[in-house]
Amino acid sequence: MKFAAQRLNRIHHGAGFAALHAALAICRERRIVWLPLVDAPERRDYSAEGYSRIKAICAAKMNAKLLHDLKELLGPDAVLHRPEELMLYEYDGSVETARPDCVVFPRTTADVEGIVRLAQQHKAPLVGRGAGTGLSGGAIARHGGIVTSFARMNRILEIDAENQIARVQPGVVNSDLSAAVAHLGLHFAPDPSSQKACTIGGNVSENSGGPHTLAYGVTTNHVLALEVVLPTGELLHLGNSALDSPGYDLTGLFVGSEGTFGLVTEITVKLTRLPEAVKTLLAIFDTIDDATETVAEITARGITPAACEMLDGWTIRAVEDYVHAGFPLDCAAILLIDVDGLREVTEVEAAEVEDVCRVHRAREVRVARDARERDLLWKGRKNAFGAAGRVSPSYYTQDGVIPRTKLPATLRRIGEISRKYNLQIGNVFHAGDGNLHPIILFDERNQQQFRDTVAAADEIIAFCVQAGGSITGEHGVGMEKDRLMPLIFSEADLSLMQSVRGIFNPEGLLNPGKIFPDSKGCGEIYARPRREGAAPSARQS
Amino acid sequence: MTLVASSTATRLADISGSLNVIHDPEQLAAYEIDRMLPAAAVKPGSRDEISEVVKFCAAEKLAVVPCGARSNLSMGAPLARYDVALDLTRLDHILAYDPGDLTLSVEPGIPLQRLAGVLAGHRQFLPLAVPFLNRATVGGTIAAGVHSPLRQAYGTARDFLLGLEFITGQGAHAKSGGLVVKNVAGYDLHKLMIGAMGTLGVITKLNFRTFPALSATRVFTASFTSAENALSLRQRAVQSPLRLLTMDILSPGAVEVLAGQVAARFEAGPAPVDRLPPGKWAFHATFPTAGTATARYERELKHMAEESGCDWCEICGDDRNPASFGRLREFVPIVLESSPATVVVKMSVRPSKLGGILASVADVAQKNDVRWAAAVGGLGVSYFSLLPSARDEQARLSVEKICEKVLADCARLSGNATIPWCPSEWKSSMKIWGPERADFEQMRKLKNVFDPVGILAPGRFAGGI
Ligand SMILES: Cc1cc2nc3c(=O)[nH]c(=O)nc-3n(C[C@H](O)[C@H](O)[C@H](O)COP(=O)(O)OP(=O)(O)OC[C@H]3O[C@@H](n4cnc5c(N)ncnc54)[C@H](O)[C@@H]3O)c2cc1C
């Protein structure tokens, strides 16, 4: 136990999302509840002009009566409210923080309905939370209030193998579902790199993608039905397990709404048959241009690999040091490509992919010999963010999208931006989708460097938009990119979207201050508070 | 022409030019919906004109129905009012096409076939093999929410529509999604527009991901004496590693209709259904040809069919069966012309429930002495069509009884059932959108946000929207 505590301490000093992620992983692995014992600084005042309703809500302090009622409803072990207990819930995977007033752990839909009723009575803001791995501040209680953690609503309710359908509670961890149906030859196709920690509720809220969503589609393509509790207290059933529910596609609207419409309490998903054969290719390049041009040509030739990921030289070296996946240390970029399906088809496709790589001067193309080698390569990819966390005090993961024909130009531009600000930027991303994830390294103790980091990130996103792309491909807008929404949407678009939110979340009580630039100017993001002198310790529960 | 009609036409002419406004009753007949005629039809030439038209209609509380080639206008509940037909066929341009990125942006009025020609030039396509393919426009297809046999492999528009622009019921320009294959910025309002039948907004631009064209495909057909056996082949195929492009099961009535003269008028040339003996259920699948995989598909499909108790099966290329896929795609138009009073019920249940539901519908149709034909999609979505021999009160009563039973059965199995196609004069007594659902209330609220005055195709949609 002491060992875990020491590791947690060390990690916590690292701060940033890497810290949280690692800490969560350890807590999960060891089945401990982490209660850092540290006095909390005052919750920051997030009130903003022009958002008076939210301001009024914020003003409602968590009162003793509400806490009492919540404990009455859920039991005392399902309510956290002491500052030291709340610390872990200040974060998600992003660079944002804010302190909730309490965290509650429902087990049933009825619990959630009860929580919502109380929040209504007390006009307390409500925020849903899965595993807190989100990268845009979605699960952060920007205006305080009640964080509803779905960690204990983690039951798989139904597996219908014949029809390839599963019904789950939102707190089920993504990879747990796939593991539970693997013996049936099935899996849940959306596979975010965080899949060992993130929840299906979080995936639904963010409409998450992953390496293999290139061929299989993102979360929304796999969700059939939802049960949700609106912040008004209403319980809704959207869609159903048969296809084509009559009427407007409310399920499609709710997926990706970033927890601003309702709390999702049950999810019906499609399960996908595991492919008969998978071939994993590792293509090694001496220039980034060669790698990006390869991706553009794979796309243009009409080959759809199951996954097509790129890591640049800097990232490869960071990963190799950490995971020992067998990536070459002296190259400029690698592509990690899966082709899957019928054995005969994968043979042909793998040969085609290899051909394109060679045309674009791949130094070497390796094909994983067996499942072990394949898993190791993928482990390297999926731990890339964690690897970045080991070499830098903090880092900022960006998420932008561009047309795939613009990959070479965009990567060149990111290189220029890196030089302009003198910041190390690593690139590890879903190349086949044109979904970039530049990782900008910085030291949070250096305020100027943090400002430069945000400026560099903004320049990258602006370039994506100029190239015809989007400000986020899978991490969501949250409280990170609300101010960037006007880059792609007009005021009228945004106000229509807000009116739609108003249908389900009329008072803005649920997840306030997210997605829309109405909540906050840029100041907040830039003035990130430093957590100094925090001396957390862990204890077993 | 009434005074209102003439002043409407004048105002519309101010916006789009008199050449683009139709108010002659004879010409307006082309815009008839459920025996209602509009006072005028207008063909705007730009997004701004559309916005002007809608603003005018909102101010005057005139009901406006957007339309493309008008192939799917008979779908849905009867309109509450119908004043202006908003014909979008002049907006028929490709706005952007990046073949290297496999993305495409088009105006709504472009005919699917013309678009297919352009995409084929780059060896790409959109998997919208929908009914009325020879006429339908892209916008109308998306707004009608019709699906295609290719959904087995490619999903529906929901899976490849990347974004769109539209004009709200107040004439405001709005946008959702983008023109990249992955994007989570903002709410997915464009998903609401699919199948909304123009009740939420007028679509002015659609962004799609395109797909590499299919190399030659082959068709597998097997016949069975019972639905159960055909369904057991479906189950085997789903659990096999094969990735079929289409998979459908046809009832004996559907085989008969698809082999008949009406069908041949739609798609001439031979099709495997022509060779099937009467009274059989058919399993029909398409698969890609790809080197050695082709032989594997053939071998395994045959083997699975035998295991499922087929009494005949055949595999052949497109060359020998040019009409095979087309007839399947045009199933709805073909059944619509195969009876004076065709009613099509769209049912969907979990696939394992298909056997039960098919037995029940066969039974009730037989008891009421109405000819029927069912095309059952591999994913559990079926078109169950009733083909009464007359369009009279007696036929209506029989059909109504059958529909009631089918709707109740689907509801009992937690499935869905609607009646997308039905003779106009029968609509008022049918549950076109199926039983009232709890979420219809949220839909009404949505409608109110997008179209507060209630001028966009009022009455046509689920929940009385
Ligand atoms: C190392 C790492 C790798 C990642 N890789 C990927 C990737 O490849 N692809 C990708 O798309 N993302 C990736 N992410 C981002 C993140 O993991 C996903 O967004 C994930 O879906 C979030 O799930 P979560 O359970 O952690 O949700 P949280 O972060 O807890 O919450 C996310 C949002 O969902 C809401 N929410 C959660 N549960 C509910 C509920 N039941 N009802 C209503 N709202 C709810 C929250 O309010 C919040 O707005 C990565 C993150 C990390 C740290």
Side-chain angles (χ1 to χ4, degrees):
Chain A
M1 200 65 269
K2 189 159 164 254
F3 169 70
Q6 277 168 357
R7 254 170 85 198
L8 286 173
N9 268 338
R10 201 166 65 234
I11 287 165
H12 189 263
H13 282 303
F17 103 61
L20 169 80
H21 186 57
L24 278 176
I26 292 175
C27 293
R28 255 180 73 72
E29 183 187 306
R30 298 182 173 256
R31 305 214 174 279
I32 54 176
V33 173
W34 183 27
L35 302 172
L37 297 173
V38 65
D39 268 328
E42 270 300 282
R43 181 156 67 77
R44 286 157 61 207
D45 176 17
Y46 285 111
S47 61
E49 284 170 25
Y51 204 56
S52 50
R53 206 177 50 229
I54 291 301
K55 206 158 127 186
I57 291 167
C58 296
K61 279 262 175 336
M62 180 70 32
N63 63 42
K65 170 92 173 85
L66 175 54
L67 268 180
H68 171 266
D69 290 352
L70 285 168
K71 284 184 181 165
E72 192 94 309
L73 175 75
L74 304 167
D77 70 331
V79 181
L80 300 181
H81 58 90
R82 283 196 292 272
E84 67 272 19
E85 295 171 331
L86 299 176
M87 256 196 83
L88 192 55
Y89 299 90
E90 282 180 13
Y91 307 82
D92 65 356
S94 68
V95 294
E96 322 284 349
T97 58
R99 166 85 34 111
D101 293 297
C102 72
V103 183
V104 295
F105 298 88
R107 286 183 187 279
T108 64
T109 300
D111 285 351
V112 176
E113 289 181 274
I115 293 163
V116 168
R117 244 187 335 265
L118 290 174
Q120 259 298 339
Q121 267 169 32
H122 294 264
K123 298 288 172 223
L126 257 177
V127 183
R129 184 180 180 95
T133 67
L135 291 173
S136 55
I140 292 176
R142 192 174 202 172
H143 298 285
I146 307 171
V147 163
T148 303
S149 163
F150 287 92
R152 294 181 193 170
M153 282 179 74
N154 61 351
R155 282 185 304 134
I156 297 176
L157 302 169
E158 180 192 353
I159 293 173
D160 175 353
E162 190 177 357
N163 295 305
Q164 298 184 199
I165 288 170
R167 198 158 49 84
V168 300
Q169 286 190 316
V172 169
V173 169
N174 175 297
S175 61
D176 286 354
L177 177 58
S178 284
V181 297
H183 69 286
L184 301 164
L186 300 170
H187 72 301
F188 179 56
D191 62 338
S193 305
S194 53
Q195 71 185 137
K196 289 209 161 75
C198 69
T199 65
I200 297 179
N203 301 162
V204 165
S205 302
E206 301 291 357
N207 189 14
S208 301
H212 292 84
T213 50
L214 174 59
Y216 289 95
V218 292
T219 302
T220 192
N221 306 112
H222 300 271
V223 176
L224 289 168
L226 296 173
E227 178 189 83
V228 295
V229 179
L230 298 186
T232 53
E234 233 173 309
L235 177 71
L236 288 185
H237 290 95
L238 310 175
N240 67 8
S241 61
L243 298 171
D244 297 1
S245 271
Y248 302 133
D249 182 5
L250 295 178
T251 312
L253 179 67
F254 265 66
V255 177
S257 61
E258 303 195 17
T260 61
F261 286 173
L263 292 171
V264 178
T265 49
E266 213 175 282
I267 304 154
T268 307
V269 297
K270 294 184 200 170
L271 299 172
T272 306
R273 196 144 288 284
L274 286 163
E276 173 185 70
V278 184
K279 269 191 179 303
T280 301
L281 288 87
L282 176 71
I284 302 163
F285 296 88
D286 287 327
T287 72
I288 289 189
D289 273 358
D290 285 341
T292 50
E293 276 159 18
T294 301
V295 176
E297 187 169 340
I298 287 175
T299 314
R301 280 210 204 173
I303 308 168
T304 308
C308 178
E309 302 280 306
M310 181 172 149
L311 283 76
D312 69 4
W314 180 86
T315 313
I316 292 163
R317 288 180 281 280
V319 167
E320 213 28 48
D321 204 33
Y322 178 31
V323 179
H324 313 298
F327 297 155
L329 295 174
D330 61 341
C331 64
I334 58 168
L335 292 176
L336 192 58
I337 300 170
D338 263 6
V339 291
D340 73 10
L342 276 192
R343 225 172 4 254
E344 294 83 349
V345 175
T346 53
E347 296 289 341
V348 176
E349 281 190 354
E352 277 183 85
V353 167
E354 192 169 339
D355 179 54
V356 180
C357 294
R358 300 233 184 259
V359 168
H360 290 279
R361 293 168 293 278
R363 183 214 290 176
E364 190 187 340
V365 183
R366 293 184 202 157
V367 182
R369 275 176 306 239
D370 51 25
R372 201 195 56 83
E373 210 172 294
R374 189 169 66 238
D375 291 347
L376 188 61
L377 291 175
W378 275 105
K379 190 173 166 203
R381 161 61 185 95
K382 294 209 171 180
N383 282 291
F385 291 162
R390 292 175 75 241
V391 293
S392 171
S394 292
Y395 62 97
Y396 183 23
T397 308
Q398 254 304 342
D399 171 41
V401 195
I402 44 153
R404 291 160 291 185
T405 38
K406 304 279 170 55
L407 261 175
T410 310
L411 267 277
R412 283 196 289 271
R413 181 75 194 120
I414 293 174
E416 285 162 22
I417 291 169
S418 161
R419 286 188 289 279
K420 170 174 163 190
Y421 288 98
N422 194 25
L423 288 167
Q424 180 64 52
I425 304 182
N427 286 290
V428 43
F429 62 102
H430 312 306
D433 292 317
N435 187 183
L436 307 169
H437 289 323
I439 305 177
I440 310 175
L441 307 189
F442 66 97
D443 183 342
E444 63 170 356
R445 286 161 299 197
N446 180 339
Q447 283 287 319
Q448 180 56 41
Q449 206 178 48
F450 184 70
R451 276 192 293 274
D452 284 349
T453 298
V454 177
D458 282 4
E459 263 186 55
I460 293 171
I461 292 302
F463 187 82
C464 291
V465 171
Q466 250 174 30
S470 172
I471 61 171
T472 167
E474 56 179 23
H475 294 168
V477 177
M479 60 192 274
E480 180 203 6
K481 287 185 172 160
D482 50 359
R483 76 211 152 82
L484 301 180
M485 286 288 269
L487 288 180
I488 49 173
F489 290 114
S490 72
E491 218 166 287
D493 299 334
L494 293 174
S495 98
L496 181 65
M497 288 183 193
Q498 278 169 289
S499 306
V500 170
R501 179 183 63 184
I503 295 171
F504 309 105
N505 184 10
E507 295 170 279
L509 218 53
L510 183 66
N511 215 355
K514 305 292 168 72
I515 302 182
F516 300 102
D518 55 5
S519 40
K520 210 63 207 155
C522 355
E524 183 186 314
I525 269 209
Y526 293 93
R528 180 165 178 264
R530 283 178 46 200
R531 265 164 282 104
E532 275 177 315
S537 64
R539 72 171 186 222
Q540 199 174 2
S541 70
Chain B
M1 193 167 34
T2 67
L3 208 58
V4 180
S6 94
S7 71
T8 300
T10 311
R11 185 67 190 93
L12 293 174
D14 287 346
I15 298 169
S16 291
S18 55
L19 282 179
N20 294 308
V21 176
I22 298 166
H23 51 80
D24 167 45
E26 233 163 80
Q27 282 179 291
L28 280 177
Y31 294 92
E32 182 242 272
I33 302 176
D34 290 333
R35 307 188 165 183
M36 289 171 88
L37 287 186
V42 58
K43 293 183 177 183
S46 70
R47 293 184 330 136
D48 288 338
E49 283 181 25
I50 296 174
S51 159
E52 286 303 305
V53 169
V54 174
K55 276 183 188 156
F56 160 68
C57 292
E60 301 294 324
K61 299 202 168 36
L62 298 174
V64 50
V65 178
C67 60
R70 305 186 293 276
S71 39
N72 287 313
L73 280 187
S74 62
M75 294 174 79
L79 289 164
R81 295 170 290 124
Y82 184 20
D83 301 304
V84 174
L86 185 56
D87 183 326
L88 298 164
T89 48
R90 281 179 68 214
L91 273 83
D92 63 349
H93 300 96
I94 293 178
L95 300 169
Y97 179 27
D98 183 352
D101 187 42
L102 289 96
T103 51
L104 168 77
S105 178
V106 295
E107 288 185 325
I110 187 165
L112 281 171
Q113 285 233 300
R114 171 142 53 95
L115 184 57
V118 175
L119 297 181
H122 295 270
R123 306 201 33 169
Q124 294 185 1
F125 84 123
L126 264 184
L128 285 172
V130 294
F132 303 104
L133 186 72
N134 300 337
R135 288 198 293 161
T137 61
V138 175
T141 297
I142 298 305
V146 286
H147 67 141
S148 97
L150 286 171
R151 81 180 283 177
Q152 181 71 33
Y154 294 90
T156 58
R158 186 184 196 275
D159 301 302
F160 48 84
L161 180 72
L162 303 174
L164 53 71
E165 291 184 13
F166 57 96
I167 307 280
T168 68
Q170 288 176 301
H173 295 273
K175 153 183 173 176
S176 153
L179 187 53
V180 275
V181 296
K182 210 163 165 196
N183 187 4
V184 296
Y187 300 138
D188 274 3
L189 303 183
H190 52 285
K191 294 217 164 68
L192 296 173
M193 298 286 167
I194 302 172
M197 302 193 145
T199 56
L200 290 181
V202 183
I203 298 170
T204 54
K205 175 173 164 181
L206 304 103
N207 299 338
F208 292 100
R209 79 188 293 171
T210 59
F211 295 83
L214 288 165
S215 53
T217 57
R218 289 174 78 78
V219 178
F220 173 84
T221 317
S223 78
F224 296 89
T225 37
S226 74
E228 283 73 52
N229 289 3
L231 286 168
S232 79
L233 174 53
R234 189 212 80 93
Q235 192 59 25
R236 284 193 170 85
V238 167
Q239 285 172 349
S240 79
L242 303 183
R243 291 181 176 178
L244 299 175
L245 297 168
T246 71
M247 172 160 48
D248 296 86
I249 291 167
L250 303 170
S251 73
V255 172
E256 196 184 318
V257 168
L258 290 184
Q261 281 171 3
V262 178
R265 233 181 26 244
F266 275 85
E267 289 283 334
V273 282
D274 297 335
R275 298 188 283 278
L276 279 173
K280 297 286 184 188
W281 286 79
F283 175 95
H284 182 285
T286 318
F287 58 93
T289 55
T292 52
T294 311
R296 168 125 185 251
Y297 272 102
E298 298 185 351
R299 201 172 55 240
E300 295 197 4
L301 279 168
K302 270 190 186 150
H303 180 66
M304 290 187 289
E306 279 157 15
E307 277 186 336
S308 311
C310 80
D311 38 38
W312 171 87
C313 74
E314 178 194 82
I315 295 173
C316 45
D318 295 335
D319 45 339
R320 269 195 61 207
N321 285 296
S324 161
F325 181 69
R327 289 198 202 167
L328 193 68
R329 182 192 70 221
E330 300 295 332
F331 178 76
V332 167
I334 292 170
V335 292
L336 286 177
E337 287 197 19
S338 299
S339 148
T342 307
V343 171
V344 182
V345 183
K346 182 183 175 191
M347 356 182 262
S348 75
V349 290
R350 291 194 189 194
S352 63
K353 314 268 192 217
L354 279 169
I357 201 102
L358 285 174
S360 160
V361 300
D363 180 58
V364 63
Q366 205 160 4
K367 277 192 184 133
N368 286 281
D369 198 21
V370 176
R371 192 158 76 97
W372 60 282
V376 180
L379 300 170
V381 184
S382 318
Y383 285 131
F384 170 61
S385 56
L386 293 162
L387 309 166
S389 52
R391 186 160 174 160
D392 56 18
E393 190 54 15
Q394 198 198 334
R396 188 185 66 81
L397 287 172
S398 307
V399 165
E400 219 183 281
K401 235 188 263 166
I402 299 168
C403 289
E404 252 171 49
K405 173 85 169 87
V406 176
L407 263 56
D409 279 354
C410 284
R412 191 167 42 77
L413 298 173
S414 324
N416 306 308
T418 57
I419 307 175
W421 292 276
C422 167
S424 305
E425 72 277 19
W426 293 3
K427 282 190 175 178
S428 56
S429 60
M430 301 269 196
K431 286 203 177 100
I432 299 293
W433 288 98
E436 175 86 13
R437 290 170 52 112
D439 55 4
F440 282 178
E441 189 46 40
Q442 308 300 323
M443 295 182 196
R444 286 190 274 268
K445 289 183 187 163
L446 267 173
K447 166 75 174 179
N448 212 25
V449 162
F450 284 80
D451 177 24
V453 190
I455 55 157
L456 294 173
R460 199 175 177 200
F461 199 67
I465 290 167

